Amino acid sequence: MLQRIAVLGCGRIGVMHAANVAAHSGARLAGVYDVNLDAASACGARYGVPVFQSSDAVFAADDVDAVLIATSTSTHSDLIEAAVRAGKPILCEKPIDLDLKRVELCKRRIGASDVPIMLGFVRRFDPGHRAAREAMLAGEIGDLHQVIITSRDPGMASSAYIEVSGGIFRDMTIHDFDLARYLLGEEVVAVSASGSRLVDPPLMERCNDYDTIAAVLSTASGKQAIITNSRQAAYGYDQRVELLGNKGMLISENRRNNHVTKHVRDATNVSAPLLNFFIERYSEAFNVEISAFVNSIEAKKPVEVGFEDGRLALVLAEAAVKSVTEHRVVAVKEIG
Amino acid sequence: MLQRIAVLGCGRIGVMHAANVAAHSGARLAGVYDVNLDAASACGARYGVPVFQSSDAVFAADDVDAVLIATSTSTHSDLIEAAVRAGKPILCEKPIDLDLKRVELCKRRIGASDVPIMLGFVRRFDPGHRAAREAMLAGEIGDLHQVIITSRDPGMASSAYIEVSGGIFRDMTIHDFDLARYLLGEEVVAVSASGSRLVDPPLMERCNDYDTIAAVLSTASGKQAIITNSRQAAYGYDQRVELLGNKGMLISENRRNNHVTKHVRDATNVSAPLLNFFIERYSEAFNVEISAFVNSIEAKKPVEVGFEDGRLALVLAEAAVKSVTEHRVVAVKEIG
Amino acid sequence: MLQRIAVLGCGRIGVMHAANVAAHSGARLAGVYDVNLDAASACGARYGVPVFQSSDAVFAADDVDAVLIATSTSTHSDLIEAAVRAGKPILCEKPIDLDLKRVELCKRRIGASDVPIMLGFVRRFDPGHRAAREAMLAGEIGDLHQVIITSRDPGMASSAYIEVSGGIFRDMTIHDFDLARYLLGEEVVAVSASGSRLVDPPLMERCNDYDTIAAVLSTASGKQAIITNSRQAAYGYDQRVELLGNKGMLISENRRNNHVTKHVRDATNVSAPLLNFFIERYSEAFNVEISAFVNSIEAKKPVEVGFEDGRLALVLAEAAVKSVTEHRVVAVKEIG
Amino acid sequence: MLQRIAVLGCGRIGVMHAANVAAHSGARLAGVYDVNLDAASACGARYGVPVFQSSDAVFAADDVDAVLIATSTSTHSDLIEAAVRAGKPILCEKPIDLDLKRVELCKRRIGASDVPIMLGFVRRFDPGHRAAREAMLAGEIGDLHQVIITSRDPGMASSAYIEVSGGIFRDMTIHDFDLARYLLGEEVVAVSASGSRLVDPPLMERCNDYDTIAAVLSTASGKQAIITNSRQAAYGYDQRVELLGNKGMLISENRRNNHVTKHVRDATNVSAPLLNFFIERYSEAFNVEISAFVNSIEAKKPVEVGFEDGRLALVLAEAAVKSVTEHRVVAVKEIG
């Protein structure tokens, strides 16, 4: 039986998810919803599926088995709570909320419910990052010592976006915090972060934000994760992961559109640009994510990345903000 | 309007094509056919499409706009002729026939028909090879001097297959002959080929075939294409193209499943295996091929690779066989 | 005129320097000295040069134009002071001393002397790191934002060495602190460091040292340098530098003995091991260093890396130690 | 005891050899000679060694243990004969002569002499090519099937040079013929060659020469070597070797001055240019060659590449010329 999944939110990411669900061999697109009905109608028409008039209508629909929440961040918690009440398994884009208090309220409200809630930390599903982790778990580099994550956007987002983003740690680094937790295999106990304003200093000043950061995470056993972010990599969306163990190293490199190299006077090995942004770079991963969601529902297995993972990534973001502000290492238990 | 395409032949390649057509945004799988009705039924059931009881039924069907011929080679010419009579555009797997005489008979029979016939020389549609050609056409390496094609199968085919394959030049190198013509942009006038029996000498002796070959093609202006083939590359299906011009070089490298590198004692940069065989390696290309076919039908533009390309690739294969046998350069006009 | 250089210290590094000086086209090996006279004799015999009986004899010799100090660290300051008194230009291995107070005493003693003192921070002279810096200075990546230095030893040093090393920051990271200053082109104002005991926890406990560290340096304008060190990279001595600017990125990759790749079942692109340790990895750089020393003497130009660079690298090491101990960002001005 | 080697010929290559001999730990430059006495004097002065007034004076000198012949090609045979008469071991630049008859006369004249004669086929001594061969001999790719040699000059030589070069096969491909023999480990029995005039057609017409060639060599057991040459690789001196065996592949890639990659908008992985020409590209190999010569003299072992190798490479060049002219495969035994 195909899982009938409705997509809430028909913005850039929602439309991508709708396309992936529609094309997925184990799922069917059960319909779409957006507060902007025009956006919803366009998306629904494209895939020949119903357009719901409200999120309540989605949750009430008998022919919707599960929901994918890709609406704006501020609505995530409400929608998660509603979906849980309706008993519909949830795949929700990150973050749960920008405010840790709201996340914790959501946590209390959903309580002991066994409705599956999966968080869309898509990088966990990247075939490269995943293959590196599997090789590590298989012992190919011995005991893990350091995780090094390089994550750079191709260019500064619009100021409108930055203003409501919650800041780089909650908006951008949060992916890397989750990926670090996934790869470390142990909980992070301490966070040290540094932030600079180099790409667009006036905007960063105005928003009290940073565009260039480094964060060092430590686990109780001393494993480290070193994360660097920049809002601007002129050469493309740069996404690399390096794992150092006592017997070797694994690197998950960037992907490209093709593997053509050009060799001319003064420049050899010239390769194709990096895939420009997350929809292209993680296109495989977004599909694997849908598969993982469908599989966990069907096999009644726990989701691979759940509500608590969403909460903990936000806790690390809070710790990073505190570390930058107070110029010191912040213990994760100080946050929550 | 989606092009309604029926797939004839439900073997390994036909099933792949059926899946691609079914998932294609511009096409619909109109049904399937195979002399082996069980194979056809399984494939039809998988995609929920009709199973035709005969090829004639396919050609007679009003709701079939075009046909994709992926049956055994010996049936290609008959089916092309029938499809032309029925006015259905054709995408036919290579080769048209192993016997050049049969190809020429087919050519006479289809005569001046304007039914589109596209040949499935899939390598022309590989994003890497294609990007290299486009960079060359854009002048990035100046005037083309040499094309170097490395093409190696991951392992020897079954003896049953080899026995009916028509020999390495008609079966395997034919792809490279077409790719060389595509990249050279000029007709080949002379062929020199060398063949060896190194992978499986007894089988090659028995079939009067070769498993390791080199071929050098020349155009009237002196451009050269150098092709090397082996039936066995233990490290995987190796598919590379190199273009040398007077201002530079372009290389279309192999693809891999991921871009993880491993670094351990005595071995660094260890990369993932090559994609094992043509269905995986050219998965992107097979989809681009369907798109090109659909686009040429819809836009009523000539197909990118047509019947005459199929015939000329076979002519080069004949010339190569003659060159190996007679230990000399063979002029293409000696063949046809 | 060839510069006549005497080498003090005939241990592993001294012998390497003696060989480089002897083979250098602009220098002549004027003699060698070591407290261990057997070591000095062996080295002198190898190059057919005089063996001095004391360091004072070296400084008194008329046919010695300059000295290269490669003795044990604790003697560096005394020898620098003596060489300055003798008016002999100095190339001294890093560090000046493990104790910042001794370095500052040395600084006061040499006072306003104009005898050239060059510090052997060899990584500044690596052709790769240098080419990356030059490309950056030429504007190829725009304004510099981040420097990322990966520096890992191939394996844990002997416990005897570790015990007297002064700790990882003063012994190993000090190279990276200098390289960071060189690449940043601005003084570092703040240091944040994290240390773990993962490679050899008991030894690290006993020595109150760390074998796995991360350090984040910041300049007044917000440029960052992120350094990671490990005492054990099982795959070889790993030395990489990455520069991120607002228009692009430069990476100085590792060197290898050859550029052969192996492709076999399940492992492709297998490359040669990394050069095992600093003498091999920085063999080119050690020669460029001698050239730079000779050139600055002959052209009476300032040395490229001087006493104050040596002192400042140690200041950063002190700041890193304090940061690890106090779990906070340390301002460089707190140290000296 | 250091081997005292005199260098005959103080042109570009002779001067390089003189420098290498002078710096070599196992040899001493015993003096230099050139018909152009100014060239000889400049070279002698540079290394502080005697300048001989005639080649006879070199051969008569008691303090000359061996000779390195780097004079113009037409003098090689005479000088080899004279050195053999004088009992001085010889390292002679390739080719022995452009005329196979003269080579064979030389062979008869030196007869059964046991004076070591080593030919300067420098590519055999390249650490990369050599490491690939050693890995093959160690069984890492199983049985060898194909050798693929890519060899391209960075740009067309002067017309004055081309006119006396003997043609591309005797001048340029001869290196690849020797390398193919070295790597195949079996004698070549058949040669097929194709030549084109694409880089400088008028010059090639006038000299009855080719600037772009492909050659396919076969051994009795069917092993193949495929060689491609171009007189112009705009991106630098391109020197690659690929070995295909039944268990894998080895590739000896190009060398570069450094390993810096640049990543900017629209171009990633941009690497340093190739080393421009043979003196830079094979700098390591020229030193290994001197070592091999010195070692074989001292250990009284056969040279690694001798007179007969020089003759056989020329035989293959003759066969290639005949093949291009007669448009057919030429059996090596047709030549000599």
Side-chain angles (χ1 to χ4, degrees):
Chain A
M1 288 305 304
L2 300 182
Q3 290 293 321
R4 295 166 298 180
I5 302 175
V7 171
L8 289 83
C10 295
R12 185 176 179 193
I13 299 180
V15 165
M16 175 203 70
H17 280 305
N20 287 345
V21 170
H24 197 279
S25 63
R28 203 158 63 70
L29 184 61
V32 296
Y33 162 74
D34 198 291
V35 286
N36 177 336
L37 282 178
D38 288 346
S41 295
C43 185
R46 183 156 175 191
Y47 299 103
V49 299
V51 177
F52 291 97
Q53 299 300 308
S54 69
S55 57
D56 284 347
V58 176
F59 299 129
D62 283 343
D63 57 356
V64 168
D65 296 320
V67 296
L68 192 161
I69 301 175
T71 52
S72 59
T73 297
S74 61
T75 66
H76 287 182
S77 296
D78 289 344
L79 293 173
I80 287 172
E81 291 163 12
V84 165
R85 285 192 303 266
K88 308 276 194 213
I90 301 150
L91 172 53
C92 182
E93 267 301 320
K94 66 90 214 170
I96 302 174
D97 197 281
L98 293 175
D99 181 351
L100 187 56
K101 287 199 173 62
R102 180 66 187 89
V103 174
E104 286 167 350
L105 175 61
C106 185
K107 183 179 175 183
R108 286 193 300 276
R109 285 181 176 165
I110 59 181
S113 154
D114 61 356
V115 174
I117 307 176
M118 177 165 156
L119 260 286
F121 282 123
V122 68
R123 297 183 194 179
R124 290 196 183 208
F125 301 99
D126 178 64
H129 301 347
R130 217 168 166 88
R133 179 172 176 267
E134 279 159 19
M136 172 190 70
L137 293 177
E140 297 189 23
I141 57 167
D143 297 330
L144 182 68
H145 288 180
Q146 283 185 324
V147 171
I148 294 169
I149 298 176
T150 304
S151 172
R152 298 171 185 154
D153 280 359
M156 179 60 79
S158 68
S159 61
Y161 179 86
I162 293 295
E163 281 161 10
V164 302
S165 69
I168 190 167
F169 293 109
R170 288 185 193 88
D171 175 58
M172 182 173 170
T173 326
I174 198 164
H175 273 297
D176 306 304
F177 289 135
D178 180 68
L179 191 57
R181 290 184 60 245
Y182 180 62
L183 295 167
L184 285 167
E186 285 180 15
E187 284 308 330
V188 172
V189 299
V191 175
S192 174
S194 304
S196 292
R197 294 162 180 166
L198 297 168
V199 176
D200 187 341
L203 177 61
M204 293 300 111
E205 282 292 342
R206 204 169 73 229
C207 299
N208 192 27
D209 198 358
Y210 307 95
D211 50 36
T212 306
I213 68 99
V216 179
L217 317 181
S218 306
T219 69
S221 75
K223 289 180 172 51
Q224 298 180 331
I226 295 94
I227 297 168
T228 57
N229 282 174
S230 168
R231 285 284 190 186
Q232 178 168 317
Y235 55 94
Y237 185 49
D238 189 357
Q239 297 286 299
R240 285 172 283 156
V241 168
E242 180 174 322
L243 304 176
L244 175 68
N246 67 333
K247 292 188 182 160
M249 172 174 66
L250 290 156
I251 301 181
S252 175
E253 303 271 7
N254 284 301
R255 289 173 61 211
R256 287 172 169 78
N257 257 330
N258 63 52
H259 303 290
V260 174
T261 59
K262 186 169 72 172
H263 307 253
V264 292
R265 188 171 305 287
D266 297 331
T268 63
N269 268 344
V270 182
S271 303
L274 300 186
L275 293 172
N276 190 54
F277 209 10
F278 62 93
I279 288 184
E280 294 78 17
R281 168 63 179 85
Y282 288 114
S283 59
E284 298 172 331
F286 280 114
N287 274 306
V288 177
E289 182 181 272
I290 299 288
S291 296
F293 180 54
V294 168
N295 291 345
S296 75
I297 297 173
E298 293 191 343
K300 298 191 189 306
K301 289 185 309 185
V303 294
E304 289 196 42
V305 47
F307 187 94
E308 184 63 5
D309 294 304
R311 192 186 70 85
L312 285 168
L314 191 60
V315 166
L316 297 184
E318 294 288 314
V321 170
K322 195 174 185 73
S323 174
V324 171
T325 309
E326 303 183 2
H327 307 290
R328 65 175 181 89
V329 179
V330 170
V332 171
K333 66 186 173 193
E334 295 179 49
I335 306 298
Chain B
M1 289 303 306
L2 300 183
Q3 291 292 321
R4 296 166 298 180
I5 302 176
V7 170
L8 289 83
C10 296
R12 186 177 177 192
I13 299 181
V15 165
M16 176 204 70
H17 280 304
N20 286 345
V21 169
H24 197 279
S25 64
R28 205 158 62 70
L29 184 62
V32 295
Y33 163 74
D34 197 290
V35 285
N36 177 337
L37 282 177
D38 288 347
S41 296
C43 184
R46 183 158 175 188
Y47 299 103
V49 298
V51 176
F52 291 98
Q53 299 299 306
S54 69
S55 57
D56 285 345
V58 176
F59 298 128
D62 283 343
D63 57 356
V64 169
D65 297 318
V67 296
L68 193 161
I69 301 174
T71 52
S72 60
T73 297
S74 61
T75 66
H76 287 182
S77 296
D78 290 343
L79 293 173
I80 288 173
E81 291 162 12
V84 165
R85 286 192 304 265
K88 308 276 193 213
I90 301 149
L91 171 52
C92 182
E93 267 302 319
K94 66 90 211 171
I96 303 174
D97 198 282
L98 293 175
D99 181 350
L100 187 55
K101 287 200 173 63
R102 181 65 188 86
V103 175
E104 285 166 350
L105 175 63
C106 184
K107 183 180 174 185
R108 285 193 302 275
R109 284 180 176 166
I110 59 183
S113 154
D114 61 356
V115 174
I117 307 176
M118 177 164 156
L119 259 286
F121 282 123
V122 69
R123 296 182 195 180
R124 292 195 181 209
F125 301 99
D126 178 65
H129 301 347
R130 216 167 166 88
R133 179 172 176 266
E134 279 158 19
M136 172 189 71
L137 293 176
E140 296 189 24
I141 58 165
D143 298 329
L144 182 67
H145 287 180
Q146 282 185 325
V147 171
I148 295 169
I149 299 175
T150 303
S151 172
R152 297 170 186 154
D153 281 359
M156 179 60 78
S158 68
S159 60
Y161 179 85
I162 292 294
E163 280 162 10
V164 300
S165 69
I168 192 168
F169 292 108
R170 288 185 193 88
D171 175 58
M172 183 175 169
T173 326
I174 197 162
H175 273 296
D176 306 303
F177 289 135
D178 180 68
L179 190 58
R181 290 184 60 245
Y182 179 62
L183 294 167
L184 285 167
E186 285 180 15
E187 284 307 332
V188 172
V189 298
V191 175
S192 174
S194 304
S196 293
R197 293 162 182 165
L198 297 167
V199 176
D200 188 342
L203 177 61
M204 293 299 111
E205 282 292 342
R206 205 171 71 229
C207 299
N208 192 28
D209 197 359
Y210 307 96
D211 50 37
T212 305
I213 67 99
V216 179
L217 316 182
S218 306
T219 69
S221 76
K223 289 180 172 50
Q224 297 179 332
I226 296 93
I227 297 167
T228 57
N229 282 173
S230 168
R231 286 285 190 185
Q232 179 167 318
Y235 55 94
Y237 186 49
D238 189 358
Q239 298 284 300
R240 285 173 283 156
V241 168
E242 181 174 321
L243 303 176
L244 175 68
N246 67 332
K247 293 187 182 161
M249 172 173 67
L250 291 156
I251 301 180
S252 176
E253 303 271 8
N254 284 302
R255 289 173 61 211
R256 285 172 171 79
N257 256 331
N258 64 53
H259 302 289
V260 174
T261 59
K262 186 169 71 173
H263 308 253
V264 291
R265 188 169 305 287
D266 296 330
T268 63
N269 269 343
V270 183
S271 303
L274 301 186
L275 293 172
N276 191 55
F277 209 11
F278 63 94
I279 288 185
E280 295 76 19
R281 168 63 180 84
Y282 288 114
S283 60
E284 298 172 332
F286 280 114
N287 274 306
V288 177
E289 183 182 272
I290 299 288
S291 296
F293 179 55
V294 167
N295 291 345
S296 74
I297 296 174
E298 294 191 342
K300 298 191 189 304
K301 289 185 309 186
V303 294
E304 288 196 43
V305 46
F307 188 93
E308 184 63 4
D309 294 304
R311 192 186 70 84
L312 285 168
L314 191 60
V315 165
L316 297 184
E318 294 288 314
V321 171
K322 195 175 184 73
S323 173
V324 171
T325 310
E326 302 182 4
H327 307 292
R328 65 176 181 91
V329 179
V330 170
V332 171
K333 65 186 175 194
E334 295 181 50
I335 307 298
Chain C
M1 288 304 305
L2 299 183
Q3 290 294 319
R4 295 166 299 181
I5 302 175
V7 170
L8 289 82
C10 296
R12 185 176 178 193
I13 298 180
V15 164
M16 175 204 69
H17 280 304
N20 286 345
V21 170
H24 198 279
S25 63
R28 205 157 63 69
L29 184 60
V32 296
Y33 163 74
D34 198 290
V35 284
N36 177 337
L37 283 177
D38 288 348
S41 296
C43 184
R46 183 157 176 189
Y47 298 104
V49 298
V51 177
F52 291 97
Q53 299 301 306
S54 69
S55 57
D56 285 345
V58 176
F59 299 127
D62 284 343
D63 57 356
V64 168
D65 297 318
V67 295
L68 194 161
I69 300 173
T71 53
S72 59
T73 297
S74 61
T75 66
H76 287 182
S77 296
D78 290 343
L79 293 172
I80 287 172
E81 291 163 12
V84 165
R85 286 191 303 266
K88 309 276 194 214
I90 301 149
L91 171 54
C92 181
E93 266 302 321
K94 66 89 212 172
I96 303 174
D97 197 280
L98 293 175
D99 181 349
L100 187 56
K101 287 201 172 63
R102 180 66 188 89
V103 174
E104 285 166 352
L105 175 62
C106 184
K107 183 180 174 183
R108 286 194 301 278
R109 284 181 176 164
I110 59 182
S113 154
D114 61 357
V115 174
I117 306 176
M118 177 163 154
L119 260 285
F121 282 123
V122 68
R123 297 183 194 179
R124 291 195 182 209
F125 300 99
D126 178 65
H129 300 348
R130 218 168 165 87
R133 180 173 176 265
E134 280 159 17
M136 173 190 69
L137 293 177
E140 296 189 24
I141 58 165
D143 298 329
L144 182 68
H145 288 180
Q146 282 185 325
V147 171
I148 294 169
I149 299 175
T150 303
S151 172
R152 297 170 186 155
D153 280 0
M156 179 60 78
S158 68
S159 61
Y161 178 87
I162 293 294
E163 281 161 9
V164 300
S165 69
I168 191 167
F169 293 108
R170 289 185 192 86
D171 174 57
M172 182 173 170
T173 325
I174 198 163
H175 273 296
D176 306 303
F177 288 135
D178 180 67
L179 190 57
R181 289 184 61 245
Y182 179 62
L183 294 168
L184 285 167
E186 285 180 16
E187 285 306 334
V188 172
V189 298
V191 176
S192 174
S194 303
S196 292
R197 294 162 181 165
L198 297 167
V199 176
D200 188 341
L203 177 61
M204 293 300 111
E205 282 292 341
R206 204 170 72 229
C207 299
N208 192 26
D209 197 359
Y210 307 95
D211 50 37
T212 305
I213 68 98
V216 179
L217 316 182
S218 306
T219 69
S221 76
K223 289 181 172 50
Q224 298 180 332
I226 295 93
I227 297 167
T228 56
N229 283 174
S230 169
R231 285 285 189 187
Q232 178 166 319
Y235 55 94
Y237 185 49
D238 189 356
Q239 296 285 300
R240 285 173 283 156
V241 168
E242 180 174 320
L243 304 176
L244 175 67
N246 67 333
K247 293 188 181 160
M249 172 174 67
L250 291 156
I251 301 180
S252 175
E253 303 271 7
N254 284 300
R255 289 173 61 212
R256 285 172 170 78
N257 258 331
N258 64 52
H259 302 289
V260 174
T261 59
K262 186 169 72 172
H263 307 253
V264 292
R265 187 170 307 284
D266 296 331
T268 63
N269 269 344
V270 183
S271 302
L274 301 186
L275 293 172
N276 190 55
F277 210 10
F278 63 94
I279 288 185
E280 295 77 19
R281 169 63 181 84
Y282 288 114
S283 61
E284 298 172 331
F286 280 115
N287 274 306
V288 177
E289 183 181 272
I290 299 288
S291 295
F293 180 54
V294 167
N295 291 344
S296 75
I297 296 173
E298 294 192 342
K300 298 190 190 304
K301 289 184 311 187
V303 294
E304 289 196 43
V305 47
F307 187 93
E308 184 63 6
D309 295 302
R311 192 186 70 84
L312 285 168
L314 191 61
V315 166
L316 297 184
E318 295 288 315
V321 170
K322 195 174 186 72
S323 174
V324 170
T325 309
E326 302 182 3
H327 307 291
R328 65 175 180 91
V329 179
V330 170
V332 171
K333 65 187 173 191
E334 296 180 50
I335 307 297
Chain D
M1 288 304 305
L2 300 183
Q3 291 293 320
R4 296 166 298 180
I5 302 175
V7 170
L8 289 82
C10 295
R12 185 177 178 193
I13 299 181
V15 165
M16 174 203 71
H17 280 305
N20 286 345
V21 170
H24 197 280
S25 64
R28 205 158 61 70
L29 184 61
V32 296
Y33 162 75
D34 197 291
V35 285
N36 177 336
L37 282 177
D38 288 347
S41 296
C43 185
R46 183 156 176 189
Y47 298 103
V49 299
V51 176
F52 292 96
Q53 299 300 307
S54 69
S55 57
D56 285 346
V58 176
F59 298 127
D62 283 344
D63 57 356
V64 168
D65 297 320
V67 295
L68 192 161
I69 301 174
T71 53
S72 59
T73 297
S74 60
T75 66
H76 287 181
S77 296
D78 289 345
L79 293 172
I80 288 173
E81 291 163 10
V84 165
R85 285 191 304 267
K88 308 276 194 213
I90 301 149
L91 172 53
C92 182
E93 266 302 319
K94 67 89 214 174
I96 302 173
D97 197 282
L98 293 175
D99 181 350
L100 187 55
K101 287 198 173 61
R102 179 66 187 90
V103 174
E104 286 166 350
L105 175 61
C106 185
K107 183 180 175 183
R108 286 193 301 276
R109 284 181 176 165
I110 58 182
S113 154
D114 61 357
V115 174
I117 306 176
M118 178 164 153
L119 259 287
F121 282 122
V122 69
R123 297 183 194 179
R124 290 196 183 208
F125 301 100
D126 178 66
H129 301 347
R130 218 168 165 88
R133 178 172 177 265
E134 280 159 18
M136 172 189 70
L137 293 177
E140 296 189 23
I141 58 165
D143 298 329
L144 182 67
H145 288 181
Q146 284 186 322
V147 171
I148 295 169
I149 299 175
T150 303
S151 173
R152 298 169 186 156
D153 280 359
M156 179 60 78
S158 68
S159 61
Y161 179 86
I162 293 294
E163 281 162 9
V164 301
S165 70
I168 191 168
F169 292 108
R170 288 186 193 88
D171 175 59
M172 182 173 170
T173 326
I174 198 164
H175 274 296
D176 306 304
F177 288 136
D178 180 67
L179 191 57
R181 289 184 60 245
Y182 179 63
L183 294 168
L184 285 168
E186 285 180 16
E187 284 307 332
V188 172
V189 298
V191 176
S192 173
S194 304
S196 292
R197 293 161 181 166
L198 296 167
V199 176
D200 188 342
L203 177 61
M204 292 300 111
E205 282 291 342
R206 204 169 74 228
C207 299
N208 192 28
D209 199 357
Y210 307 96
D211 50 36
T212 305
I213 67 99
V216 179
L217 317 182
S218 306
T219 70
S221 76
K223 289 181 172 51
Q224 298 180 330
I226 295 94
I227 298 167
T228 57
N229 282 175
S230 169
R231 285 285 190 185
Q232 178 167 318
Y235 55 94
Y237 185 48
D238 189 357
Q239 297 284 300
R240 285 172 283 156
V241 168
E242 181 175 321
L243 304 176
L244 175 67
N246 68 333
K247 292 188 183 161
M249 173 174 66
L250 291 156
I251 301 181
S252 175
E253 303 271 6
N254 285 300
R255 289 173 61 212
R256 286 172 169 79
N257 257 330
N258 63 52
H259 302 290
V260 174
T261 59
K262 186 169 72 173
H263 307 254
V264 292
R265 189 169 305 284
D266 297 331
T268 63
N269 268 345
V270 183
S271 302
L274 301 186
L275 294 172
N276 190 53
F277 210 11
F278 62 95
I279 288 184
E280 294 78 18
R281 169 63 179 85
Y282 287 114
S283 60
E284 299 172 332
F286 280 114
N287 274 307
V288 178
E289 183 181 272
I290 300 288
S291 297
F293 180 54
V294 167
N295 291 344
S296 74
I297 296 173
E298 294 191 341
K300 299 190 190 304
K301 289 184 310 185
V303 294
E304 288 196 44
V305 45
F307 188 93
E308 184 63 5
D309 295 303
R311 193 185 71 84
L312 285 169
L314 191 60
V315 165
L316 296 185
E318 294 288 315
V321 171
K322 195 175 185 71
S323 174
V324 171
T325 310
E326 302 184 4
H327 307 292
R328 66 176 181 89
V329 180
V330 170
V332 171
K333 65 186 174 192
E334 295 179 50
I335 307 298

